Amino acid sequence: MSSIRLLFDPGTGRQRLSKPSYCQDRQSALATYVLLPEDRADGALGWFTGLILTIAAVVIPLSSPREYIPRKAQEVDESPNPEQTASVFSRVTFNYMDPLVLSAYRSKAFSGEDLPPICDDDDTEVLVERAYKHLDPSQNKSSRHIFFSLLKVFMWEHIEELLLLVLMVLADFMQPFGINRLLTYVESGGRDAYVHPWVWCLALFVSQVAVSMTSGRYMLLMGKIISRTQGVLTQLIFDHALRVRAFVAHEAHTTNPKPTVGGEDQVTATSDAASVAEPRNGVITEETTKAVETSHNTSLGSLNNLIATDITNIDEGQYWILTGMYSIMLLTIISPRRFPGFYTPAQIMVSIAFLYAVFDWSALVGIATMLILLPIPGFLVKYSHEIQSDIRVESVTEVVSGAIRMVKLFGWETQMSERIDKQRREEIRILRKYKLFGLTNVLLSQFILIASMVATFVTFTVFMRRELTASRIFSSVTVFQWLQRHFQGISEQLPGIINAKVSLDRIDDFLKNSDLVDRLNVAADTATTSHFIEDEVVGIRGSSFTWSRSETGACLAGKFKLSIEGEVAFHRGRINLIIGQTGSGKTSMLMALLGEMHYYPASTESFVKLPRSGGVAYQAQESWIMNESIRDNILFGMPYQQDRYNKVIRQCALESDLALFKAGDLTEVGERGVTLSGGQKARVTLARAVYSAAEILLLDDVFAALDTHTAVWIVKECLQGELVQGRTVILATHSIALLKPVAHFVVSLTLDGRVNSQGSLQNALEKDQTLLTAADDHGDDSEEPKDQLLESDRVEKVTEDGKLIAEEELSEGHVGWSAAKLLFLNMASSPQGLVLFWISFLTAVFGIHSTSILYTWVLGRWARQYEEQDRQDVAITYYLSIYLSLVALNMACIVAKSSTFIFGSLRASQILHRLLIDSVLRSTLRWLDKTPASRIIARCTQDIASVDGPAADWFSRLMDITAVLILRLATIIFMSPLFTIPSLVLGALGLWIGQMYMKAQLAVKREMSNARAPVLGHFGAVVAGIGKLLDQFMSVRAYGAQAAFQLESRKRINRWVRAARTFSSLNKWVSIRSEVLAATFNAGLATYLVYGSSLDASAIGFTLAISMVFSNLILWWVRYFNEFEINGNSLERIQQYLNIEHEPASTLEGVPPAYWPASGHLKVENLSARYSEKGPSVLQDISFEISSGERVGIVGRTGSGKSSLTLALLRCILTEGNIYFDGVATDTLNLEEVRTAITIIPQVPELLSGTLRENVDPFLQHDDAYLNEMLRAAGLFSLDRDKFGKQLTLDSPISSAGKNLSVGQRQMIALARAMVRRSRLLILDEATSAIDYETDSIIQASLRKEVAKDVSVLTIAHRLHTVMDSDKIIVLDAGRIIEFGRPRDLLQNPNGGLRALVDSSADREELLARVAER
């Protein structure tokens, strides 16, 4: 240490740096006062020789382009990324980005297509080849944590980073060292100086440029690793997710299993679909089940979190194992947006050494003070992270994605808005507390920095009795700030480290412990059995299947179990049926064949066999539609064969549907198939299966969404058509009568999941009497659109080329005043308060930075006293008290500014959130149908979160940096008037470079965001571990289409990586140019202050301290402004959703009398309706009257207007005419009043995650006894177990969208929810479509018994049994009433519409007899 102090101590330095006697009278050299060059006699020739050698040995090699060696086969005429051929100099200065920046600056329409191609090493295909051997559990059986695997994959990049970090540390300290030496020269008047002062001025320039270049290379490497890590992990999770058992999500949602670690190896059977464990003596023992148990604590519901959250955590912080110069291994995170944070332990050590060299042992006092106080902000950071909550986000997401239609149809907008607003107020309270903790942390950090500096200065001056010179003060302040940032960074970054570690742990756990589909379980060994199984057999023998297992591996008591005690062998080349009541396990048998259930063999003779050599196609009960064209959905990657394709379209009854669309089969179906009805979706997915070349077709309840005529067509033209002939069809269905002519082999199941019978249909009916009636009923359900819109309206949503009209609004990154005022004008509750708020805020902002400059100036004044008077005469207490007073005032301004802005911005955000939620909840159904739920969710979650945090925070920082620039520019001009013009030139050049950067950055950032969404969208569309999209897993695996989806995923990831890498390079392009400008300005100012001014050392130090900050802040101002615009764009996006199509607002005049409605009387006069002002009429001049308490059925062919009538009664669409409910015209009432008085049960029930009680009575208005009574009346008592066999009670958990229940059970709960409301008018829109005949009969009987006599019931159904006992029936056709009257009377007309429907039914005699009984 003493040797280091010699470099800084002027007293000792004078002795050491005295000129030797032989140089006293000689002319000094260019750089030193002591040494002279040996070749000085060469003169100009020597300079010329040196120049040539420098060009030949340095300039040419560094500027020569590199040879391009491709890592993979290139497409024809594809040029490489410029980075791959750039010279060393170009890579260091990022000159290869110049063409892109200039192109973006000059172009008005810069797009993602203008970006350079992806680098070979960044290509996902290359990364997969490089990384999968270390990361993929299917290729690497090592138990090593994925963190260490990632380190191994990117080992050489990490080594290079380590070397760069060391260079950065050394380059960083050139600046304070140069300032120290420069001020020492001024203080001593140049006495005994070793080198000329211009050398130290040059050192300031070289230091800043060297740091910029090394950090540029470092950040480039880090950007590569981040993008490559994200790309390869996203692809790895995607690939692995395609192996995961799909229905694990149901179990996770309902049972919340604890993490378990399987202790035994898993083995696989010869079956193509499931794994087995070798039983003992043909009996399944506990040990046997343990052998097939796998740990599945990772639910599929968390897969989206792995991509959207955990991968983002790794984006926020990259992981390094850094072996430093002192053999210290440090695990740390460095955030690219906070760089520089803390580089290595070396920088901390060098900082301590520097301060010790300047202040001797007094520096240790300051460092000790810092270390003692640092745990306090660390504790606050930890605590603040523990108080965050996301309950509101979950609630909004679920309502928007699944239940918003239910909310509107039930008139719950106000209650739901209040519930969400209550959660929002709690969230705001937590956010306010979190931000105040952050403010406290900032104050503590400031206090710690000041305390450590004061402790050092006081010890140095009072106890050591040394002089506190300007060279010591102004060179040490920066180092103190670095040291404090390093120490504090450890505590501040610790939560990020923990979050990132948790994220890696979750990904590692998902990869190693997921419950895989058995035939894809690469960790399993193949077992053999002694029993010979024919390759062509499709069936099951002596096996049990469950959806979940206990922690011991055994089947949980009471849980549903599919048990095949004997053998079920489906007939090849024939149509096989699986029948049974709702909940008997029909879908489970299909899943067992596909290997989606846990398999328990009973003996060595057991097997489950589904040959895949000829291909398998699967059609799920809830149709899976990709967000592509209709043709792409049908082809599903198969080559287009026109003849076969046309036959499929005809046989699946899609010709008339395609004729409705101007673009035909090229029409894009949109998110969740929004342009298609429920029946159209079912037929498209059926067409996909039929078009495929698969020999085996697994169809799950394909007729559930089809009307009678369409269903009959499918049976005759498709199932009996040439394309299905000779193929094995296994069909789970309720439509027994419809399939009588084609059923060759039938398996009947009981409610406990056992085989009741197998063989012919007649045999099955004899064994199960409950199926006899169903066999006489066609059992088909409605083809009404699931979103209850007719096809004619859907056609309006697409353009002639098939594209959806409702395209996402593009953000240009500029915030207009109309959007910005949503934030700025809601900071206070009144105009006077708003004025006071802004005056207080701006005063505090300028107060903060004025006092900061002043207390720095006081330090300079304090140092000057040692130049002007003796040390013992310096009034240390006086200057210290002034300094501390200004610091206290500075901290008071920080408190005033931050607290004012926190309360104001959160108030504005709360108001904005309320306006947005109300706007969405009061939007029209048409707007909701045109707008994907993901966009609405993004506004309500991501954009609101941006307003809560980044948008407001960036504006606050922008105000801070603006005040800093203004005040420091004024200070520089005041101290050095000659530098007024250079300061303005620097600002102009900085703004020009920043403008070029911003234009390119906005385009690349937009492309980056747009490219990221398809990655998540593709992942969600295929994996979709939650809600309605679970069946997509089975569809992709059943078709064997994993490779095609993996390829598409890689393409989308490459698009994102291409933009992300360009974005990273752009950041360093602008950084290095701004750093060179700043370095030039600082070095020029230092040279002027030393050579051209008469200022003393303290004034020069003060001016340089101000200059160092000012020159660097110009770029940061541009960046802050840019960040505010990008994040503030959320205000624009929110404003867009405040100005959407809204339903009429409630008024006082629209409140009905208190008694209304007293009866269920309904009168409709001349009702016409349309979905849009320019759309065709879907209802035309409809008139009818229903007395209170009457039960009226509504029937008609598909598209006749049945569901449109129900929407018109609820005023969900545009109507003309009059509707009187209990004598009051509904168009004179508020919408909420009308919809509260009328209850509709839609075809697709919408449930929320929570308990059964919360779904039946969302606002907790009724007691348990009443709720249980309504559940029994809805028929749930006959099916009182969920998919996993759990007893259903009011406290039973319901997963998102009710996925842990069968479709029939969901409809029963929706029915009970409607009955709880006790409305006078009850509308059932295909409310029992997914329920078997027996349960449907029970529900209809319950409705007749439980519903009050004065309640009118409208029932829409294609199942004629459901409506034939109605008091009256309305027959619709093409939006008109063609018949209305009692069923008996209508059937007397041989040419009537009802008679035609009955005559076309398979159970005609049964229906006529039923009417005759009434």
Side-chain angles (χ1 to χ4, degrees):
M1 285 295 185
S2 59
S3 61
I4 297 177
R5 286 205 306 274
L6 290 175
L7 298 174
F8 298 87
D9 195 315
T12 59
R14 273 193 292 272
Q15 298 176 9
R16 188 179 66 86
L17 296 178
S18 296
K19 295 180 182 180
S21 58
Y22 64 85
C23 291
Q24 293 293 327
D25 299 323
R26 301 175 63 180
Q27 184 180 6
S28 63
L30 180 65
T32 74
Y33 290 106
V34 178
L35 303 178
L36 295 174
E38 295 292 340
D39 57 352
R40 60 187 180 278
D42 293 344
L45 179 61
W47 284 103
F48 181 75
T49 303
L51 177 63
I52 296 299
L53 292 175
T54 301
I55 293 175
V58 179
V59 176
I60 293 177
L62 292 181
S63 60
S64 299
R66 295 182 302 154
E67 180 184 1
Y68 170 59
I69 303 176
R71 290 288 302 274
K72 65 186 187 71
Q74 299 293 303
E75 297 180 3
V76 179
D77 297 331
E78 183 179 353
S79 59
N81 188 297
E83 181 186 336
Q84 295 178 273
T85 58
S87 65
V88 174
F89 178 77
S90 180
R91 297 181 75 191
V92 169
T93 59
F94 292 85
N95 284 349
Y96 61 86
M97 296 295 298
D98 288 349
L100 174 70
V101 174
L102 291 175
S103 174
Y105 181 64
R106 295 166 180 167
S107 174
K108 294 183 178 180
F110 189 82
S111 66
E113 298 300 322
D114 299 315
L115 297 180
I118 189 171
C119 293
D120 289 359
D121 289 340
D122 294 326
D123 189 279
T124 307
E125 181 181 342
V126 175
L127 285 174
V128 165
E129 181 181 352
R130 174 186 178 185
Y132 267 35
K133 58 186 176 183
H134 302 292
L135 302 176
D136 189 358
S138 67
Q139 299 183 32
N140 187 345
K141 305 301 191 297
S142 172
S143 59
R144 180 175 54 200
H145 195 280
I146 192 173
F147 168 73
F148 298 102
S149 299
L150 285 171
L151 283 179
K152 188 172 183 179
V153 171
F154 301 111
M155 178 178 63
W156 293 110
E157 286 91 337
H158 288 310
I159 292 174
E160 184 178 353
E161 280 181 330
L162 176 62
L163 297 176
L164 287 169
L165 288 174
V166 173
L167 292 176
M168 288 165 59
V169 170
L170 298 177
D172 259 334
F173 279 93
M174 287 177 63
Q175 181 174 308
F177 181 76
I179 291 176
N180 180 276
R181 293 291 83 205
L182 193 63
L183 295 180
T184 299
Y185 176 90
V186 176
E187 288 170 347
S188 63
R191 251 186 346 266
D192 301 324
Y194 189 82
V195 297
H196 290 274
W198 70 262
V199 174
W200 303 121
C201 296
L202 181 63
L204 298 181
F205 175 84
V206 172
S207 170
Q208 205 162 352
V209 172
V211 169
S212 179
M213 289 185 174
T214 52
S215 66
R217 178 61 185 170
Y218 170 81
M219 293 295 286
L220 178 67
L221 274 175
M222 190 168 67
K224 285 182 178 180
I225 296 177
I226 288 176
S227 60
R228 291 173 184 177
T229 300
Q230 282 193 314
V232 75
L233 285 183
T234 301
Q235 185 64 45
L236 179 61
I237 292 172
F238 183 91
D239 292 347
H240 193 71
L242 290 175
R243 309 172 191 142
V244 175
R245 193 184 304 274
F247 278 86
V248 171
H250 295 325
E251 179 184 357
H253 284 308
T254 57
T255 62
N256 192 23
K258 297 179 180 179
T260 60
V261 178
E264 304 290 341
D265 293 330
Q266 190 175 359
V267 293
T268 305
T270 54
S271 164
D272 292 302
S275 65
V276 301
E278 198 72 35
R280 290 182 195 163
N281 302 322
V283 180
I284 299 180
T285 64
E286 183 174 339
E287 290 78 7
T288 302
T289 55
K290 282 184 178 181
V292 296
E293 176 65 15
T294 56
S295 178
H296 49 270
N297 55 309
T298 303
S299 74
L300 297 186
S302 66
L303 290 181
N304 284 332
N305 283 338
L306 293 178
I307 294 296
T309 302
D310 293 327
I311 295 292
T312 302
N313 285 343
I314 300 174
D315 175 27
E316 290 291 330
Q318 192 54 273
Y319 301 81
W320 322 100
I321 292 290
L322 301 177
T323 52
M325 297 185 307
Y326 306 96
S327 300
I328 297 176
M329 181 175 288
L330 177 67
L331 172 62
T332 182
I333 285 183
I334 297 177
S335 172
R337 285 186 288 276
R338 298 176 185 174
F339 181 82
F342 46 98
Y343 308 149
T344 63
Q347 189 166 22
I348 295 177
M349 302 299 289
V350 173
S351 297
I352 294 174
F354 183 93
L355 292 174
Y356 183 83
V358 174
F359 291 106
D360 209 324
W361 61 268
S362 65
L364 301 180
V365 177
I367 294 170
T369 304
M370 187 180 295
L371 290 173
I372 292 172
L373 296 175
L374 272 176
I376 300 176
F379 170 78
L380 288 177
V381 169
K382 179 178 181 294
Y383 183 73
S384 65
H385 278 73
E386 293 175 352
I387 63 175
Q388 299 181 66
S389 172
D390 59 353
I391 297 176
R392 194 268 315 175
V393 172
E394 295 174 359
S395 179
V396 169
T397 300
E398 187 169 32
V399 168
V400 171
S401 61
I404 192 168
R405 296 183 62 85
M406 175 188 71
V407 170
K408 295 189 66 61
L409 293 177
F410 277 41
W412 284 343
E413 292 95 334
T414 299
Q415 295 97 317
M416 189 60 67
S417 177
E418 290 175 353
R419 172 191 282 186
I420 295 175
D421 192 55
K422 181 179 179 181
Q423 295 170 342
R424 175 62 175 170
R425 288 195 297 271
E426 176 63 18
E427 184 181 41
I428 289 292
R429 186 188 68 81
I430 293 174
L431 277 171
R432 186 182 299 117
K433 188 175 181 180
Y434 176 77
K435 286 176 177 286
L436 290 175
F437 268 111
L439 170 59
T440 306
N441 194 45
V442 169
L443 293 174
L444 284 173
S445 300
Q446 181 82 347
F447 173 76
I448 291 171
L449 173 61
I450 299 300
S452 60
M453 290 174 58
V454 169
T456 300
F457 295 163
V458 170
T459 303
F460 189 73
T461 56
V462 176
F463 296 100
M464 296 184 66
R465 300 183 182 278
R466 302 281 293 277
E467 295 181 1
L468 190 63
T469 60
S471 60
R472 288 191 170 98
I473 289 178
F474 293 109
S475 64
S476 63
V477 168
T478 301
V479 179
F480 269 115
Q481 292 173 345
W482 287 349
L483 195 60
Q484 188 247 0
R485 186 163 62 241
H486 300 333
F487 283 133
Q488 184 182 351
I490 296 174
S491 59
E492 287 185 347
Q493 300 277 1
L494 186 60
I497 297 174
I498 294 173
N499 287 339
K501 180 184 181 301
V502 169
S503 295
L504 275 182
D505 286 344
R506 282 159 51 90
I507 293 174
D508 186 71
D509 181 69
F510 170 70
L511 295 175
K512 291 185 173 62
N513 299 322
S514 297
D515 191 5
L516 305 184
V517 173
D518 298 326
R519 64 187 176 84
L520 298 175
N521 189 353
V522 297
D525 300 323
T526 299
T528 59
T529 64
S530 59
H531 182 73
F532 175 74
I533 305 173
E534 296 182 6
D535 290 339
E536 298 303 313
V537 170
V538 179
I540 304 171
R541 175 189 295 167
S543 306
S544 299
F545 303 87
T546 62
W547 291 113
S548 59
R549 291 197 180 119
S550 68
E551 295 181 1
T552 61
C555 299
L556 288 178
K559 288 196 173 185
F560 177 81
K561 179 171 68 173
L562 177 67
S563 300
I564 310 298
E565 297 176 351
E567 179 178 341
V568 173
F570 295 99
H571 292 198
R572 296 300 302 266
R574 303 288 187 148
I575 295 179
N576 304 266
L577 302 186
I578 304 174
I579 62 176
Q581 298 183 53
T582 301
S584 59
K586 300 182 294 297
T587 297
S588 296
M589 181 167 279
L590 295 180
M591 295 299 99
L593 289 170
L594 287 171
E596 300 292 341
M597 299 184 71
H598 292 281
Y599 171 49
Y600 297 88
S603 69
T604 57
E605 304 295 316
S606 301
F607 70 84
V608 51
K609 185 71 177 177
L610 182 67
R612 294 177 177 270
S613 57
V616 174
Y618 169 68
Q619 193 247 357
Q621 185 176 11
E622 294 186 58
S623 303
W624 171 44
I625 300 294
M626 299 185 296
N627 189 5
E628 306 289 348
S629 68
I630 296 175
R631 176 182 293 185
D632 289 338
N633 270 280
I634 294 175
L635 296 181
F636 203 57
M638 294 284 292
Y640 176 70
Q641 299 177 13
Q642 185 172 356
D643 291 341
R644 181 180 181 87
Y645 182 81
N646 291 337
K647 290 178 182 179
V648 169
I649 294 297
R650 180 180 181 278
Q651 292 180 10
C652 294
L654 286 169
E655 288 178 318
S656 58
D657 298 281
L658 297 181
L660 294 172
F661 299 104
K662 294 180 180 180
D665 62 351
L666 297 180
T667 301
E668 290 185 357
V669 300
E671 187 181 39
R672 305 183 310 277
V674 68
T675 60
L676 302 178
S677 71
Q680 289 169 334
K681 294 177 189 176
R683 283 178 279 132
V684 167
T685 53
L686 174 63
R688 179 193 298 159
V690 174
Y691 184 84
S692 72
E695 293 182 0
I696 301 175
L697 308 182
L698 304 182
L699 309 178
D700 193 355
D701 208 6
V702 66
F703 300 105
L706 305 182
D707 63 75
T708 303
H709 305 284
T710 306
V712 170
W713 175 276
I714 294 295
V715 172
K716 290 182 178 179
E717 300 296 330
C718 183
L719 296 184
Q720 293 180 304
E722 60 176 303
L723 295 180
V724 178
Q725 291 297 318
R727 302 166 80 174
T728 303
V729 178
I730 304 176
L731 173 61
T733 185
H734 288 300
S735 306
I736 301 174
L738 184 68
L739 293 165
K740 277 182 181 179
V742 298
H744 182 78
F745 179 76
V746 178
V747 177
S748 175
L749 301 176
T750 62
L751 279 174
D752 61 355
R754 299 179 182 274
V755 176
N756 188 37
S757 66
Q758 57 178 306
S760 65
L761 179 60
Q762 185 62 34
N763 181 49
L765 298 179
E766 292 175 357
K767 290 289 185 68
D768 190 350
Q769 297 297 319
T770 61
L771 297 174
L772 282 174
T773 308
D776 294 330
D777 179 24
H778 58 76
D780 302 318
D781 301 323
S782 171
E783 194 199 1
E784 287 303 309
K786 288 193 175 185
D787 55 3
Q788 301 174 333
L789 288 181
L790 292 179
E791 289 82 346
S792 59
D793 180 61
R794 297 173 185 276
V795 176
E796 297 173 354
K797 298 180 190 176
V798 294
T799 57
E800 295 186 4
D801 62 355
K803 300 292 183 181
L804 292 176
I805 291 179
E807 297 290 345
E808 175 70 285
E809 299 84 354
L810 293 178
S811 57
E812 297 298 329
H814 298 287
V815 183
W817 171 245
S818 60
K821 70 180 182 181
L822 294 174
L823 176 66
F824 297 150
L825 298 186
N826 283 306
M827 297 283 193
S829 56
S830 65
Q832 296 82 0
L834 192 63
V835 172
L836 180 61
F837 168 85
W838 285 110
I839 291 176
S840 302
F841 174 72
L842 294 176
T843 301
V845 167
F846 279 88
I848 292 171
H849 303 292
S850 297
T851 53
S852 176
I853 292 174
L854 284 174
Y855 67 62
T856 304
W857 177 79
V858 168
L859 288 177
R861 292 292 300 175
W862 185 0
R864 178 184 294 178
Q865 302 310 306
Y866 291 99
E867 300 177 10
E868 298 177 348
Q869 54 188 306
D870 293 336
R871 177 179 53 79
Q872 58 270 20
D873 296 331
V874 176
I876 297 176
T877 305
Y878 171 75
Y879 288 102
L880 186 61
S881 60
I882 295 178
Y883 177 74
L884 292 178
S885 298
L886 289 172
V887 168
L889 182 59
N890 176 268
M891 297 178 72
C893 290
I894 292 175
V895 172
K897 171 252 182 181
S898 298
S899 58
T900 300
F901 194 76
I902 287 172
F903 281 88
S905 62
L906 289 182
R907 181 186 185 278
S909 183
Q910 183 174 359
I911 293 173
L912 204 55
H913 178 268
R914 187 185 306 122
L915 292 174
L916 177 62
I917 293 298
D918 287 344
S919 177
V920 171
L921 289 178
R922 300 185 186 283
S923 61
T924 63
L925 290 182
R926 175 177 174 79
W927 182 84
L928 291 173
D929 287 327
K930 294 190 298 183
T931 308
S934 59
R935 297 183 191 172
I936 304 176
I937 292 172
R939 263 65 171 193
C940 297
T941 56
Q942 296 174 6
D943 290 325
I944 286 294
S946 179
V947 176
D948 288 343
D953 291 344
W954 281 114
F955 175 76
S956 178
R957 293 168 190 162
L958 182 62
M959 291 295 99
D960 277 324
I961 201 170
T962 301
V964 171
L965 280 173
I966 293 173
L967 293 172
R968 291 186 180 252
L969 176 61
T971 303
I972 292 173
I973 293 175
F974 177 78
M975 298 298 295
S976 305
L978 189 63
F979 256 68
T980 301
I981 294 178
S983 298
L984 296 177
V985 171
L986 173 67
L989 289 175
L991 290 175
W992 179 61
I993 293 175
Q995 187 179 9
M996 288 195 295
Y997 160 75
M998 281 182 62
K999 191 161 186 181
Q1001 189 252 19
L1002 284 173
V1004 177
K1005 181 74 173 179
R1006 192 180 309 121
E1007 173 63 17
M1008 191 173 162
S1009 300
N1010 293 340
R1012 185 63 172 162
V1015 174
L1016 296 176
H1018 185 65
F1019 188 87
V1022 180
V1023 177
I1026 56 176
K1028 301 179 180 179
L1029 302 176
L1030 282 168
D1031 296 314
Q1032 299 170 13
F1033 266 116
M1034 290 82 75
S1035 296
V1036 173
R1037 283 198 290 261
Y1039 279 92
Q1042 295 97 317
F1045 280 90
Q1046 288 167 347
L1047 179 61
E1048 179 63 23
S1049 174
R1050 293 181 184 183
K1051 290 180 180 178
R1052 299 189 183 204
I1053 291 173
N1054 279 349
R1055 180 188 170 195
W1056 176 81
V1057 171
R1058 177 187 180 190
R1061 287 278 284 104
T1062 305
F1063 182 77
S1064 176
S1065 297
L1066 268 177
N1067 282 332
K1068 293 314 300 176
W1069 178 91
V1070 70
S1071 292
I1072 197 167
R1073 278 149 184 78
S1074 62
E1075 293 285 355
V1076 169
L1077 281 178
T1080 304
F1081 179 83
N1082 292 332
L1085 180 60
T1087 303
Y1088 163 74
L1089 291 174
V1090 173
Y1091 288 101
S1093 75
S1094 59
L1095 297 178
D1096 57 19
S1098 61
I1100 292 176
F1102 171 72
T1103 307
L1104 287 178
I1106 298 298
S1107 168
M1108 293 293 180
V1109 176
F1110 169 77
S1111 60
N1112 288 318
L1113 284 185
I1114 295 175
L1115 172 65
W1116 286 107
W1117 187 91
V1118 173
R1119 282 185 166 176
Y1120 279 22
F1121 184 78
N1122 186 32
E1123 288 290 344
F1124 170 65
E1125 286 201 315
I1126 291 174
N1127 289 278
N1129 184 251
S1130 295
L1131 294 169
E1132 294 270 10
R1133 289 161 53 84
I1134 291 173
Q1135 186 195 32
Q1136 291 166 357
Y1137 276 39
L1138 297 181
N1139 302 319
I1140 57 176
E1141 301 173 19
H1142 288 126
E1143 294 177 327
S1146 297
T1147 63
L1148 291 176
E1149 293 76 13
V1151 178
Y1155 67 84
W1156 185 88
S1159 72
H1161 181 265
L1162 179 67
K1163 183 178 181 181
V1164 177
E1165 295 180 345
N1166 305 320
L1167 177 65
S1168 297
R1170 65 186 70 213
Y1171 286 98
S1172 65
E1173 294 181 357
K1174 297 181 179 180
S1177 295
V1178 292
L1179 297 177
Q1180 302 179 42
D1181 198 28
I1182 287 182
S1183 299
F1184 63 89
E1185 185 172 358
I1186 298 174
S1187 300
S1188 180
E1190 280 191 325
R1191 297 171 52 83
V1192 178
I1194 303 176
V1195 297
R1197 301 181 187 275
T1198 298
S1200 60
K1202 301 182 296 298
S1203 288
S1204 296
L1205 176 58
T1206 64
L1207 294 179
L1209 294 177
L1210 291 167
R1211 290 174 56 194
C1212 292
I1213 56 178
L1214 300 176
T1215 59
E1216 299 175 2
N1218 299 314
I1219 302 173
Y1220 297 95
F1221 183 36
D1222 191 26
V1224 179
T1226 59
D1227 59 352
T1228 64
L1229 302 177
N1230 295 328
L1231 284 176
E1232 285 191 25
E1233 304 290 349
V1234 174
R1235 294 171 186 173
T1236 302
I1238 301 174
T1239 296
I1240 182 173
I1241 309 172
Q1243 177 181 358
V1244 179
E1246 294 172 332
L1247 303 183
L1248 300 173
S1249 62
T1251 63
L1252 179 58
R1253 176 188 290 102
E1254 291 168 341
N1255 274 276
V1256 178
D1257 183 20
F1259 305 104
L1260 305 179
Q1261 299 170 328
H1262 305 279
D1263 58 36
D1264 289 2
Y1266 177 68
L1267 297 180
N1268 279 315
E1269 180 184 353
M1270 292 299 100
L1271 286 170
R1272 283 192 294 271
L1276 203 62
F1277 69 92
S1278 64
L1279 291 167
D1280 56 358
R1281 297 181 186 275
D1282 65 12
K1283 276 190 175 182
F1284 312 107
K1286 279 197 163 186
Q1287 189 78 27
L1288 285 175
T1289 67
L1290 287 175
D1291 294 320
S1292 294
I1294 305 297
S1295 66
S1296 180
K1299 274 299 180 177
N1300 59 324
L1301 303 173
S1302 69
V1303 177
Q1305 289 170 323
R1306 284 176 248 165
Q1307 287 188 327
M1308 293 177 195
I1309 293 175
L1311 179 61
R1313 179 171 57 203
M1315 295 169 63
V1316 164
R1317 284 162 55 93
R1318 293 187 178 277
S1319 300
R1320 298 298 181 180
L1321 179 59
L1322 184 62
I1323 303 174
L1324 283 71
D1325 187 359
E1326 291 295 341
T1328 58
S1329 62
I1331 299 174
D1332 63 86
Y1333 176 80
E1334 181 185 12
T1335 308
D1336 184 19
S1337 300
I1338 294 172
I1339 291 174
Q1340 297 303 324
S1342 296
L1343 285 174
R1344 284 188 289 270
K1345 178 181 178 182
E1346 300 293 339
V1347 174
K1349 301 300 182 183
D1350 59 348
V1351 175
S1352 302
V1353 180
L1354 298 181
T1355 305
I1356 297 175
H1358 277 109
R1359 183 181 280 167
L1360 295 180
H1361 269 287
T1362 303
V1363 298
M1364 289 307 289
D1365 62 347
S1366 302
D1367 299 316
K1368 293 179 181 179
I1369 290 181
I1370 295 176
V1371 183
L1372 291 174
D1373 183 38
R1376 298 178 182 273
I1377 293 181
I1378 60 174
E1379 286 185 327
F1380 177 49
R1382 295 188 304 165
R1384 182 191 298 271
D1385 298 337
L1386 297 182
L1387 290 175
Q1388 300 300 319
N1389 181 4
N1391 298 321
L1394 181 62
R1395 184 59 182 260
L1397 291 173
V1398 171
D1399 289 343
S1400 65
S1401 175
D1403 57 342
R1404 175 179 179 277
E1405 300 302 326
E1406 167 72 16
L1407 294 173
L1408 293 176
R1410 190 167 185 176
V1411 173
E1413 292 176 0
R1414 286 183 57 87

